[in-house]
Amino acid sequence: MGTQAPSASLYAFTETRIDLEALDQGSVVQVQLPASRGSRSQRRILSTTAGSASFNNEETYSWGCLASASSIYFSRLTKYPRSFLWRVLENNKVLELRATDLRKTENIKAEATVILQLGFPSAIRKGGVALADDGGEALSVFVLTKSNDLFTLTIPNKSFYNVTSLEEDAGKWCKTFRPSSFVLSTPHRLVAGSPGQLVVALADGKLLTLNRKDGQDGSIWQERSYHDGKWGSSLRGLINWQGNNTVRYNGIILDQNAAIAVDFSPSRTHLLTVCANHTFKIWNLAGSSNVFSMDLLGQRREPQDISRVMLDPRSPEVLRVFEADGAIAGDEYYAITYSPHDGGQFKIWAIRDADQGKLGVRFLHSDDALRPPDPDSDPESKTVWKVADFKVGGGTQGSGMKFWLLMRSNKRYKTYNLSFDLVDLPAAWNDKWVLAATETLGQTQPPQLSLSDPQDASETWLEYLLYPGRYTRSLLETALSIYRSARKLTSPEDAKATLEERLSSAIMAQVISQSVKDDADSGIPFAQYRESMQQEWDLFYQEVQDLDRLTWQPLTLTFDEPFGMPCSVFAGGCALIRGCGQVEAIARNTSAAWQDVPEFFEVPSIEDGSERMPILPEELSILIEGAAAFTRTFSATFRHDCHKLLSSELWQDPVSSVADRIGNYYEHCGFAEEVTDSAIDSLKATLRPLGSFEGLTSDHFLAIIKRLPHSMATGESSLVSTKLGLKVLVRGAQEMLNLHAQILFDLLMVVVFIEVEAHEEVMSESNLNTSNVFMALSEQMQVYKFMQWLASSVWAGQDRPRKSPDENAIPNKQAGAGLTVLESLFAADVRPQPRDRHFQSGFLTDTTQDLLFHILGGNYPSVTLDRVLVFVQCNLLKQGDTDLASDFAQFQPTTAWSIYVRGRLHLKLGEIAEAAMCFKKAAYKMAAQQSFPGRNQQDGRGSGLEKNQAAQHYHNASAELLSLKEAGYLAKGLPKYYTHIMHLFQDASYPSSAGDFARLAIQFASESSELLTFLLKSLFTSSLQTSDIQSAYTSLVRLPQEEQGKLLPELVKALLTLPNGPSQLLELPWPAHFHAAIDEELADARRHSQMSSSNPTTASTPRDRRKILAAWRLRHGDFRGAAAALYPQIQSLVSQHQKGKQKAGVMSQSKIGGSRKSNEGTVQGNRGVDEAYLSVINLMACIDSGEQEKKEAWLLSNADGGKRRVVRIEDVRKGWQKELDRRSVVEGGRWGFGMAGDEMDLG
């Protein structure tokens, strides 16, 4: 093998980053551990989610959110939870622990989402954290602090399920021990072989093993030290030597023999170490002896040369132990070490029998220099890259093994992968390295100022910054604090203002402040305002980027060997490394990278079944690369116009040919003015390997479309995603969606340009059908625009149900606030499939693609995009999120089902006219008795659905927005449909519209049917609520007589409450059989008291039941009845009038005569009494004149509340005369003067 470092240019993997914010509200448990035995710990549960706190500057942000050390511990068992992320925070005084499993079996209902933050009395040493487990119900955590205390934490697994599960008394699960060896030697690295076996590397070069027996709690450990047996070893332990062969690290001085990397053999009978003096050593734990020692590169070095090859203890990841059973006969296990010297080399050590020294340990491939790949192929580059970490594992019998390598240069990093067979490693080392792409959501191009965009820059920037998963709230809060402090902006007065509001107000305040400084006398021009807003957002974005770079500083590389899953751990997050999908691989690699593809990598080619050669990935890469370069030349304004007009084009029903649509789009976007000659020449040059425009074919474009997700796993799975797994799945889907959508957009722009600018030459010499390609790309753009909306829109409410369009899917529930619509509606229904244990990284990609296909109906071909779109809208309406539903309305199709659901949205928004219009527009097809497009055609039921089946389908397709009862009104004719709409308006308290649809339903209802009766009653009720008496009357008279009798009192009551009700009562043409019931209702004494006027002296009150009853009887010629109705009013008025006079009868001389106002009141009262007497006398006179056989009229009355008595017209006249005499006495001034017994009877 040559001495040059290998290179890698092919991206076969990609990262999916996730932040470390808490998954549940109030799931962070903080415990302050006691400083000494006997003292108690303090525990508190945070009510907010982790990561939501804000900090004043970068320093405090790093202190609270970014880890100084972090890794993931994987148990070899499969019991949930089996993976744990640990982080050291807050100046190394807090250890954070959380479970990080992505999946679990469906029988486990609980979620391990609790985050434990353990505070230590003194700082944790670097390299002083180790985890172990024995497969039981607890996780063992070991921590070395700078006070030389060893903390043994036995944390029950249930503590990661429930915030209250961890004992408040830390003394029950936290034990401390201070080894006596620490008195003379300083520890600097801790390694755990098992819960009962630890190794501590000491600064003086010794190794200390700590062992405890089963059942011991960690307060007592058996110590045993190991050293190389030389006389200087013990002397260096007593004297603090400093010289060329020592190195200072983390405040301590390390001897050259100090182990900077330690690992156990698989049987845990030996220790393997790499020492600071560039030496690989093996120790026999039973014999306490060093059985093997050799330079890392196998070279003999003189003592004076050691200082030149001393290893840096800040890079301790130089040793890995792995097994490859059966790879080479006789070998027990293997170790791989890395030396940064001599150009950097890896060495593989084959261990057969370590106790035999050099006879039992040998170099594997000793003649080959296994150098790490060169991340920077530029020979003039001065960038220094270092090996930050590496992992080896996987495969069987040494075949199909994986080597993962993390290279770092300051804040930049690259992750490499090598698939190899152990025996033939040198053959693969030079040319089979591949890379993992690191492009993420955070690296998406930020918004740019577009002159044609009417939307305010703040709205665009907020959409970008608050895109789910792009930045944590704590990062944005800290950036806002830094931005405000630098510009001395005051905090908003409203303490409850949202982050969005505070961001907008800060930018606005700064823009206004700058404009005042520039010109205090005149306002800022709009163009300058827009430009200033963009500049300030750019400055704020720089603060965000600075914090984001700190957040994603790589720390370690982890590898879950049983499942083959690599993961990079960063200061503030994690990145799971998954295999690229085929379109991702084509898009991320140049055509040159495909020239020499590793054998293990599947080459994505398209074979269409014809005799033509399959399209190779390098051809597709050229096309994608050229299209991307072409659109990168677009200005921000031109790009905005293209996207805006495309969105309008995609969701409108076409009214012209495809060629005309392309031409119109080209013209409206302004391609002719915006696309430069240099952009055209560059596009032609990029496509020249394909034959430029003339060499393009439809297959080139369709091949890319065919490689988009179009299938999903069909096997049964007992696995479900955890909440973290769903988060990872959604992040992967977001990145995949954005990449695919960008590719489709780029290709579509190229097709539009070719169709208009190069149509003649393409049509004459090419097999490119631009119309067909345009339609295919447009259909896919529709799908991806919709799915991008799902991935970017966040619920604002409480619990959200997750149900897929498949009615057979298992419903789940998860907190909806803060979740994307994609996660809450679809992600949980995609079950992880059990895959080969060594291809877990591919499993993530497969599951992500399964999710994208599942959104569109999955393996149910009868589920169309239109149905899915309506299903999502129904979910939004079901949860009452009208803001999201209104925004999502842009994607709705023009089917009757969609129009009906749009009407439901308008109804929820209170837009009654629009809702009614939609319901009417959808009426015919929604009412038609036809089968609903279901998804069960494959089970033999076909398309002929029974009515109850149609109801069930509507119920399921609406995400239960329609109850089964409501769905039963659909597909059963117009009367039933309009009845359903009537119910909707009734439930929403819109009686006028409910009445309108009741009338429509009555038009189509059969006569003498129960439905017609129900509709008439409903119309009657709605009409009363809207005071539409005529409609209520019409409905009433059409009802059967038994129903009329029940409703008539309601109509009469309504008439009596209306200002013009009495007149309508008299004018309506009541049927004869209504007369007695109406008379009885008006004459009801109990109800009369409720309806009478509050001022009985005002005889003209419209709602005076006596007058209304009298008028009703007079209208129908019943004079005696009319007089009987008015006669009690005479008694009431006279009695009330006399009481008022008596109250004023005893007064002083000074008030004799009263005021003018009092006189007016008296005159008014007298007039009311006179009118009452005259009305009754006249009515009774009519009775007398109409009855020839009687000489005198009469009536029956019980006005005084006693027995009924006969009242003659003469009695009424005498009563009136008596009243007139009483007035004469009063007017003559003949009454008493207030002396006792001197009052005059005025009656």
Side-chain angles (χ1 to χ4, degrees):
M1 179 181 292
T3 58
Q4 290 187 348
S7 61
S9 58
L10 182 71
Y11 289 92
F13 298 90
T14 186
E15 289 183 350
T16 297
R17 287 182 178 180
I18 54 171
D19 58 62
L20 297 179
E21 290 188 315
L23 298 171
D24 287 332
Q25 192 83 359
S27 60
V28 181
V29 180
Q30 292 183 334
V31 180
Q32 181 59 47
L33 300 179
S36 61
R37 297 182 185 180
S39 58
R40 294 183 62 83
S41 61
Q42 297 178 356
R43 184 185 72 173
R44 68 186 181 118
I45 301 172
L46 298 185
S47 60
T48 57
T49 57
S52 61
S54 62
F55 302 91
N56 296 327
N57 49 49
E58 286 188 6
E59 183 179 354
T60 55
Y61 175 76
S62 300
W63 175 86
C65 291
L66 306 184
S68 58
S70 181
S71 188
I72 301 178
Y73 169 78
F74 300 101
S75 173
R76 287 189 171 272
L77 302 177
T78 58
K79 189 174 182 179
Y80 175 78
R82 58 168 298 274
S83 61
F84 301 90
L85 170 70
W86 61 266
R87 303 200 300 155
V88 179
L89 302 168
E90 299 181 17
N91 290 337
N92 301 323
K93 282 197 170 185
V94 171
L95 177 66
E96 182 180 280
L97 297 166
R98 67 177 76 194
T100 56
D101 295 67
L102 301 182
R103 60 186 189 175
K104 61 181 180 177
T105 56
E106 61 184 352
N107 62 306
I108 300 176
K109 304 303 180 183
E111 285 275 358
T113 59
V114 174
I115 300 173
L116 302 179
Q117 292 183 345
L118 309 177
F120 288 83
S122 61
I124 300 171
R125 289 190 179 275
K126 291 188 180 298
V129 178
L131 280 68
D133 75 291
D134 56 5
E137 297 296 328
L139 175 70
S140 296
V141 181
F142 307 100
V143 179
L144 269 178
T145 65
K146 289 189 176 181
S147 62
N148 288 341
D149 288 321
L150 172 64
F151 283 78
T152 301
L153 312 176
T154 305
I155 301 177
N157 288 345
K158 64 180 180 180
S159 301
F160 295 98
Y161 293 98
N162 194 321
V163 292
T164 61
S165 294
L166 194 64
E167 291 278 356
E168 256 189 87
D169 184 6
K172 296 182 179 180
W173 49 270
C174 173
K175 303 296 180 180
T176 58
F177 175 72
R178 183 171 295 179
S180 59
S181 300
F182 292 177
V183 176
L184 298 177
S185 301
T186 304
H188 81 96
R189 185 160 299 278
L190 174 67
V191 177
S194 69
Q197 187 180 30
L198 305 179
V199 173
V200 181
L202 304 178
D204 61 5
K206 294 180 182 178
L207 295 174
L208 176 67
T209 62
L210 300 173
N211 294 275
R212 60 172 175 164
K213 298 179 180 179
D214 293 341
Q216 292 182 330
D217 57 9
S219 58
I220 299 177
W221 292 83
Q222 286 74 45
E223 303 178 44
R224 189 174 184 179
S225 63
Y226 299 78
H227 54 84
D228 57 11
K230 299 178 181 179
W231 66 270
S233 300
S234 58
L235 185 59
R236 280 191 297 267
L238 299 175
I239 302 174
N240 189 10
W241 291 88
Q242 296 189 39
N244 293 333
N245 292 346
T246 60
V247 59
R248 180 174 290 276
Y249 167 67
N250 197 28
I252 59 177
I253 297 174
L254 297 183
D255 183 80
Q256 64 174 358
N257 289 305
I260 64 172
V262 183
D263 206 348
F264 283 87
S265 66
S267 62
R268 298 207 300 273
T269 58
H270 291 78
L271 274 180
L272 293 83
T273 65
V274 171
C275 301
N277 61 0
H278 203 260
T279 304
F280 174 60
K281 296 181 180 181
I282 302 178
W283 305 76
N284 185 306
L285 293 177
S288 302
S289 59
N290 174 212
V291 296
F292 178 81
S293 179
M294 183 179 287
D295 181 80
L296 287 179
L297 298 178
Q299 300 179 12
R300 297 180 62 88
R301 302 187 189 275
E302 297 299 327
Q304 62 271 20
D305 297 330
I306 297 298
S307 61
R308 291 196 292 269
V309 292
M310 290 285 284
L311 299 178
D312 186 354
R314 292 174 299 179
S315 301
E317 310 302 335
V318 293
L319 170 66
R320 292 289 178 262
V321 177
F322 64 95
E323 294 182 275
D325 295 338
I328 300 176
D331 290 346
E332 291 185 11
Y333 59 95
Y334 302 87
I336 183 167
T337 59
Y338 174 72
S339 168
H341 300 291
D342 293 348
Q345 292 186 46
F346 290 95
K347 287 293 184 181
I348 298 180
W349 309 76
I351 295 95
R352 295 195 171 193
D353 184 357
D355 294 330
Q356 297 299 317
K358 294 183 179 180
L359 297 178
V361 181
R362 74 186 191 283
F363 277 130
L364 202 61
H365 312 300
S366 57
D367 296 334
D368 299 292
L370 304 178
R371 302 189 186 281
D374 185 5
D376 195 344
S377 58
D378 185 0
E380 298 183 359
S381 174
K382 296 182 180 180
T383 304
V384 178
W385 288 83
K386 295 182 179 180
V387 172
D389 203 351
F390 63 92
K391 293 290 186 291
V392 182
T396 56
Q397 296 184 342
S399 299
M401 300 191 68
K402 305 293 183 182
F403 189 106
W404 290 95
L405 174 64
L406 177 65
M407 302 285 290
R408 179 176 178 179
S409 175
N410 198 7
K411 295 179 181 179
R412 298 170 58 195
Y413 71 96
K414 288 188 177 182
T415 305
Y416 293 84
N417 171 264
L418 177 67
S419 294
F420 65 97
D421 295 338
L422 186 60
V423 176
D424 299 326
L425 174 60
W429 193 271
N430 264 348
D431 53 13
K432 289 189 177 182
W433 286 97
V434 293
L435 285 157
T438 59
E439 289 80 4
T440 61
L441 292 173
Q443 297 168 333
T444 308
Q445 185 71 19
Q448 296 177 339
L449 180 62
S450 172
L451 299 178
S452 63
D453 187 3
Q455 184 169 306
D456 186 82
S458 293
E459 295 182 30
T460 306
W461 271 101
L462 287 174
E463 289 177 5
Y464 175 82
L465 294 172
L466 298 174
Y467 184 92
R470 178 165 285 148
Y471 302 111
T472 63
R473 292 187 68 86
S474 59
L475 186 148
L476 293 175
E477 293 277 10
T478 305
L480 178 58
S481 179
I482 295 173
Y483 180 86
R484 284 185 176 278
S485 299
R487 292 155 183 80
K488 298 180 181 180
L489 298 175
T490 58
S491 300
E493 296 180 359
D494 186 4
K496 296 182 179 180
T498 64
L499 175 60
E500 296 92 320
E501 293 169 343
R502 286 182 282 115
L503 285 171
S504 297
S505 64
I507 300 298
M508 178 65 72
Q510 178 62 16
V511 171
I512 295 175
S513 174
Q514 287 297 113
S515 64
V516 171
K517 291 179 181 179
D518 295 341
D519 191 350
D521 297 328
S522 61
I524 180 173
F526 182 71
Q528 182 182 342
Y529 162 78
R530 285 174 58 90
E531 185 176 351
S532 298
M533 287 288 288
Q534 181 68 25
Q535 290 174 353
E536 290 303 321
W537 277 111
D538 286 336
L539 293 174
F540 175 76
Y541 180 64
Q542 292 304 316
E543 303 289 355
V544 172
Q545 286 293 86
D546 291 342
L547 293 175
D548 192 57
R549 281 188 284 269
L550 291 175
T551 302
W552 296 104
Q553 291 184 89
L555 296 179
T556 57
L557 178 67
T558 65
F559 184 62
D560 187 3
E561 186 173 351
F563 290 92
M565 171 58 69
C567 178
S568 298
V569 181
F570 298 84
C574 295
L576 289 96
I577 301 173
R578 60 177 180 83
C580 285
Q582 290 192 346
V583 173
E584 288 180 306
I586 293 171
R588 295 189 185 280
N589 291 289
T590 63
S591 57
W594 291 106
Q595 300 301 319
D596 191 10
V597 182
E599 295 177 0
F600 78 94
F601 191 75
E602 180 183 358
V603 178
S605 61
I606 301 297
E607 298 183 12
D608 58 6
S610 66
E611 296 181 356
R612 294 196 300 268
M613 294 292 291
I615 298 175
L616 299 178
E618 51 261 39
E619 298 179 56
L620 303 182
S621 291
I622 291 172
L623 176 56
I624 291 175
E625 182 182 351
F630 178 64
T631 58
R632 279 197 295 270
T633 64
F634 292 2
S635 65
T637 300
F638 181 42
R639 180 182 295 272
H640 170 265
D641 291 343
C642 289
H643 277 289
K644 181 180 179 180
L645 292 172
L646 179 60
S647 297
S648 176
E649 169 72 24
L650 293 176
W651 299 101
Q652 287 184 355
D653 289 333
V655 294
S656 56
S657 66
V658 177
D660 289 341
R661 291 169 59 190
I662 296 175
N664 292 335
Y665 181 79
Y666 179 94
E667 181 179 353
H668 292 155
C669 290
F671 272 75
E673 296 79 13
E674 291 289 343
V675 178
T676 62
D677 292 339
S678 61
I680 300 173
D681 295 339
S682 177
L683 178 61
K684 288 182 177 180
T686 305
L687 298 178
R688 191 166 292 121
L690 301 179
S692 194
F693 294 156
E694 297 84 353
L696 289 176
T697 67
S698 298
D699 289 342
H700 283 113
F701 294 89
L702 300 179
I704 297 173
I705 295 176
K706 290 179 181 178
R707 293 330 248 179
L708 298 173
H710 291 298
S711 63
M712 65 182 295
T714 57
E716 296 293 330
S717 173
S718 61
L719 301 175
V720 295
S721 295
T722 63
K723 288 186 178 181
L724 181 63
L726 291 176
K727 186 175 183 177
V728 171
L729 189 58
V730 170
R731 294 294 174 269
Q734 288 172 329
E735 292 172 359
M736 192 176 290
L737 284 171
N738 291 340
L739 177 63
H740 290 178
Q742 185 61 50
I743 292 172
L744 292 171
F745 174 78
D746 295 342
L747 295 177
L748 198 58
M749 295 302 100
V750 170
V751 170
V752 170
F753 176 77
I754 292 177
E755 165 65 17
V756 178
E757 292 284 349
H759 178 74
E760 295 183 1
E761 52 183 308
V762 169
M763 291 301 295
S764 61
E765 315 226 358
S766 171
N767 291 319
L768 175 61
N769 187 324
T770 51
S771 295
N772 289 346
V773 172
F774 178 84
M775 288 302 300
L777 291 172
S778 296
E779 290 174 2
Q780 290 300 315
M781 280 298 296
Q782 271 189 320
V783 171
Y784 274 86
K785 286 285 187 182
F786 153 58
M787 291 194 291
Q788 281 184 303
W789 187 93
L790 295 179
S792 61
S793 300
V794 178
W795 291 109
Q798 302 299 319
D799 287 351
R800 306 290 180 186
R802 294 192 305 241
K803 284 179 68 68
S804 72
D806 175 18
E807 57 268 19
N808 299 317
I810 297 176
N812 297 288
K813 285 187 178 292
Q814 179 165 328
L819 294 182
T820 62
V821 179
L822 174 62
E823 180 175 350
S824 60
L825 295 186
F826 296 99
D829 297 322
V830 177
R831 294 199 167 198
Q833 295 293 320
R835 303 291 172 92
D836 188 277
R837 62 191 292 265
H838 302 302
F839 293 92
Q840 188 80 348
S841 58
F843 139 79
L844 266 182
T845 300
D846 292 342
T847 307
T848 303
Q849 295 184 135
D850 287 350
L851 171 59
L852 301 188
F853 187 59
H854 170 70
I855 295 172
L856 305 178
N859 293 321
Y860 297 96
S862 60
V863 177
T864 63
L865 174 63
D866 287 351
R867 180 177 176 184
V868 175
L869 292 171
V870 181
F871 167 79
V872 174
Q873 184 72 312
C874 289
N875 262 286
L876 300 175
L877 292 174
K878 173 73 173 177
Q879 303 308 321
D881 203 328
T882 53
D883 289 339
L884 283 181
S886 299
D887 189 33
F888 189 68
Q890 61 183 305
F891 301 109
Q892 293 302 291
T894 56
T895 61
W897 175 225
S898 171
I899 294 171
Y900 164 82
V901 175
R902 187 186 294 271
R904 296 290 295 262
L905 170 61
H906 286 304
L907 183 59
K908 255 190 184 309
L909 294 172
E911 300 168 351
I912 306 307
E914 293 82 356
M917 183 175 63
C918 288
F919 290 139
K920 291 176 182 178
K921 188 175 181 181
Y924 180 76
K925 291 187 178 180
M926 291 296 294
Q929 297 183 5
Q930 59 185 6
S931 63
F932 181 80
R935 55 165 71 233
N936 295 310
Q937 295 180 5
Q938 72 275 12
D939 63 7
R941 282 180 279 181
S943 59
L945 298 175
E946 299 295 336
K947 293 181 180 180
N948 60 336
Q949 290 178 324
Q952 184 67 50
H953 276 281
Y954 273 114
H955 174 68
N956 295 330
S958 68
E960 300 181 6
L961 175 66
L962 277 72
S963 65
L964 284 172
K965 181 180 179 180
E966 290 177 318
Y969 286 97
L970 304 181
K972 291 186 178 180
L974 286 172
K976 286 281 189 179
Y977 172 78
Y978 285 130
T979 301
H980 166 60
I981 303 302
M982 177 193 70
H983 284 311
L984 294 179
F985 281 107
Q986 286 176 340
D987 294 340
S989 300
Y990 294 111
S992 178
S993 298
D996 292 340
F997 282 93
R999 294 185 186 91
L1000 289 172
I1002 290 171
Q1003 291 179 17
F1004 298 96
S1006 302
E1007 292 292 334
S1008 304
S1009 64
E1010 292 184 5
L1011 178 60
L1012 179 61
T1013 300
F1014 172 78
L1015 291 169
L1016 289 171
K1017 291 169 66 176
S1018 299
L1019 177 58
F1020 174 83
T1021 302
S1022 298
S1023 299
L1024 290 187
Q1025 292 174 339
T1026 58
S1027 301
D1028 187 352
I1029 298 301
Q1030 185 63 46
S1031 178
Y1033 169 81
T1034 305
S1035 304
L1036 181 65
V1037 297
R1038 292 187 61 183
L1039 284 168
Q1041 287 194 10
E1042 60 272 16
E1043 297 294 339
Q1044 291 176 346
K1046 298 176 183 178
L1047 300 179
L1048 180 59
E1050 296 183 26
L1051 179 56
V1052 174
K1053 181 179 179 180
L1055 285 167
L1056 295 177
T1057 59
L1058 296 175
N1060 61 341
S1063 61
Q1064 288 183 285
L1065 175 67
L1066 300 177
E1067 293 171 0
L1068 286 173
W1070 299 99
H1073 63 277
F1074 280 9
H1075 292 180
I1078 296 174
D1079 190 283
E1080 182 180 353
E1081 177 66 22
L1082 295 175
D1084 188 341
R1086 178 180 60 83
R1087 299 182 64 190
H1088 162 74
S1089 63
Q1090 298 174 356
M1091 296 299 299
S1092 294
S1093 172
S1094 60
N1095 183 8
T1097 63
T1098 307
S1100 61
T1101 301
R1103 290 170 178 77
D1104 189 332
R1105 181 66 64 85
R1106 300 182 186 94
K1107 284 191 173 183
I1108 297 173
L1109 178 59
W1112 169 261
R1113 289 175 175 176
L1114 184 61
R1115 176 86 175 187
H1116 295 88
D1118 184 3
F1119 297 107
R1120 178 179 286 107
L1126 292 178
Y1127 182 75
Q1129 187 180 19
I1130 294 176
Q1131 305 297 324
S1132 176
L1133 288 172
V1134 171
S1135 175
Q1136 186 69 23
H1137 191 56
Q1138 290 180 359
K1139 288 180 181 179
K1141 284 297 182 179
Q1142 291 172 359
K1143 188 177 295 184
V1146 181
M1147 60 182 66
S1148 64
Q1149 184 66 33
S1150 63
K1151 293 189 178 181
I1152 294 176
S1155 64
R1156 178 178 299 179
K1157 182 176 181 181
S1158 176
N1159 291 333
E1160 291 177 355
T1162 301
V1163 173
Q1164 181 69 23
N1166 293 340
R1167 185 180 297 117
V1169 174
D1170 292 345
E1171 290 178 355
Y1173 272 110
L1174 287 173
S1175 297
V1176 173
I1177 291 172
N1178 289 336
L1179 287 171
M1180 295 185 75
C1182 292
I1183 297 172
D1184 186 49
S1185 63
E1187 299 178 3
Q1188 300 297 329
E1189 68 280 5
K1190 298 182 180 179
K1191 295 182 178 180
E1192 188 174 14
W1194 57 272
L1195 56 83
L1196 293 175
S1197 173
N1198 60 346
D1200 54 2
K1203 295 181 180 180
R1204 298 178 66 187
R1205 64 185 181 89
V1206 176
V1207 178
R1208 299 173 300 173
I1209 188 171
E1210 185 61 29
D1211 297 333
V1212 178
R1213 287 170 177 166
K1214 288 181 179 179
W1216 187 27
Q1217 185 61 49
K1218 186 177 181 180
E1219 172 64 18
L1220 294 175
D1221 293 342
R1222 185 189 62 78
R1223 293 181 197 169
S1224 176
V1225 171
V1226 172
E1227 291 172 359
R1230 300 189 295 276
W1231 59 78
F1233 288 95
M1235 302 301 293
D1238 204 23
E1239 291 84 354
M1240 182 177 181
D1241 184 7
L1242 300 180

